[in-house]
Amino acid sequence: MTLRTPALTTFLAQNPDAIAAELTSVRGSSPREQGTFMLVGPSTIFGTIGGGALEYMVIDHARRLIANGQATAAMDVPLGPEIGQCCGGRVGVSLRYADAALRDELAARIAAEDAAQTHVYIFGAGNVGGALARMLALLPVHAHVIDTRTDELIGLPANVDARAVPMPEAVVRNAPQGSAYVILTHDHALDFMIAFEALKRLDSPYVGMVGSRTKRARFASWYRAEGGDEAALERLVLPIGNHGLGDKRPEVIAALAAAEIMVHIGRREARSVQAQGTRKLGAIHGR
């Protein structure tokens, strides 16, 4: 899992005079959303407000505040030819000295973001599973690798939860709400049992299995015979990472699957935000 809280704690301890730069308004196209913040120290930074010329301008301004002992400032920046960017929008940026109260506020925001990250369960620590774990370790998700074989779990990234479990399908039943599942064990029968449980989890944004069209047909036949729900079967991504390349190298399959998983998670998050907006609008209009 990629948690930002430890990095934030370290940064703040090493930068007592840090300036917090936050996008307070966004009009038109912008590299990041309103509310995005970064922290600027004399020689290091934490986070990003989108990079490019905008970020360099903000960092430079913040470091001048630090050097001059100033506490606050504000910037209004057009994201166009004037600064060598082509977004075409305009952003407002507040710069504030990160005092104790602001540090606590930012730490709470980062902790909430860490806690909200989706859990992704990788079943099987073989070639594809290991490569996928290494990629997910870099992304904003809680990555778990589950295998029945202890030896296969050696050498995985330290921020990946790796567990040897005799009955992996039980992990699915106890996983947090909204978890994603990627199934790539060494045993097709075990794959099928895990997938059967995963497809029961209607809260999951992604259920994927490594394999071929033949494996999908065999699973579908078995799944129906076991009384599986036909509508749920449509949610199964099998094969994973199938984007017409035909490349069977484990690292390539893992890269394509990682992108696929993040797309499904992102779509679920977008639907959730849209639904919340609809509910708020309905409340305003008495619906």
Side-chain angles (χ1 to χ4, degrees):
M1 65 190 75
T2 304
L3 299 179
R4 299 176 70 201
T5 296
L8 174 63
T9 301
T10 299
F11 177 89
L12 291 174
Q14 295 174 348
N15 294 274
D17 297 325
I19 294 290
E22 181 174 352
L23 299 184
T24 52
S25 65
V26 172
R27 286 162 284 172
S29 178
S30 166
R32 294 298 298 271
E33 305 81 9
Q34 183 174 327
T36 302
F37 77 90
M38 68 183 298
L39 288 159
V40 182
S43 60
T44 58
I45 63 172
F46 172 89
T48 176
I49 56 171
L54 169 65
E55 185 160 300
Y56 282 110
M57 286 178 60
V58 170
I59 291 172
D60 184 61
H61 198 144
R63 285 179 175 156
R64 286 202 300 273
L65 293 181
I66 295 172
N68 296 330
Q70 294 175 266
T72 63
M75 302 173 67
D76 181 46
V77 186
L79 304 177
E82 297 93 331
I83 66 167
Q85 289 195 204
C86 55
C87 294
R90 195 177 192 98
V91 298
V93 186
S94 72
L95 296 97
R96 295 181 288 164
Y97 168 67
D99 60 15
L102 183 53
R103 287 170 177 240
D104 288 345
E105 176 191 327
L106 297 179
R109 285 170 60 178
I110 292 296
E113 290 176 9
D114 284 349
Q117 290 180 3
T118 299
H119 292 258
V120 180
Y121 287 84
I122 302 168
F123 292 92
N127 292 331
V128 178
L132 181 57
R134 289 187 287 275
M135 292 174 189
L136 292 182
L138 302 173
L139 298 173
V141 297
H142 295 290
H144 308 261
V145 178
I146 310 297
D147 206 304
T148 56
R149 307 160 297 171
T150 303
D151 291 349
E152 293 293 328
L153 299 170
I154 298 171
L156 293 173
N159 63 338
V160 170
D161 169 40
R163 284 181 280 157
V165 176
M167 296 179 62
E169 64 272 21
V171 173
V172 177
R173 293 192 285 269
N174 298 315
Q177 186 82 3
S179 295
Y181 308 97
V182 198
I183 305 158
L184 353 87
T185 80
H186 61 293
D187 184 332
H188 282 198
L190 182 57
D191 283 352
F192 286 11
M193 287 191 291
I194 296 169
F196 191 90
E197 291 296 331
L199 290 174
K200 292 179 184 177
R201 295 293 303 259
L202 301 183
D203 57 294
S204 176
Y206 181 89
V207 179
M209 189 192 301
V210 75
S212 62
R213 281 180 236 169
T214 299
K215 184 176 180 181
R216 183 182 185 94
R218 288 179 178 171
F219 173 75
S221 177
W222 175 86
Y223 180 78
R224 293 185 183 105
E226 293 294 317
D229 179 67
E230 190 70 30
L233 181 59
E234 295 300 314
R235 297 171 46 235
L236 177 65
V237 179
L238 197 177
I240 60 171
N242 181 29
H243 298 279
L245 296 182
D247 196 318
K248 297 183 180 181
R249 286 173 291 180
E251 295 80 8
V252 176
I253 295 172
L256 295 172
E260 192 173 77
I261 293 163
M262 296 308 296
V263 167
H264 279 72
I265 290 172
R267 286 174 178 165
R268 191 268 309 270
E269 291 174 349
R271 287 194 297 270
S272 177
V273 169
Q274 185 179 30
Q276 289 174 5
T278 301
R279 284 196 294 271
K280 289 178 182 177
L281 183 62
I284 291 171
H285 292 287
R287 295 174 187 163

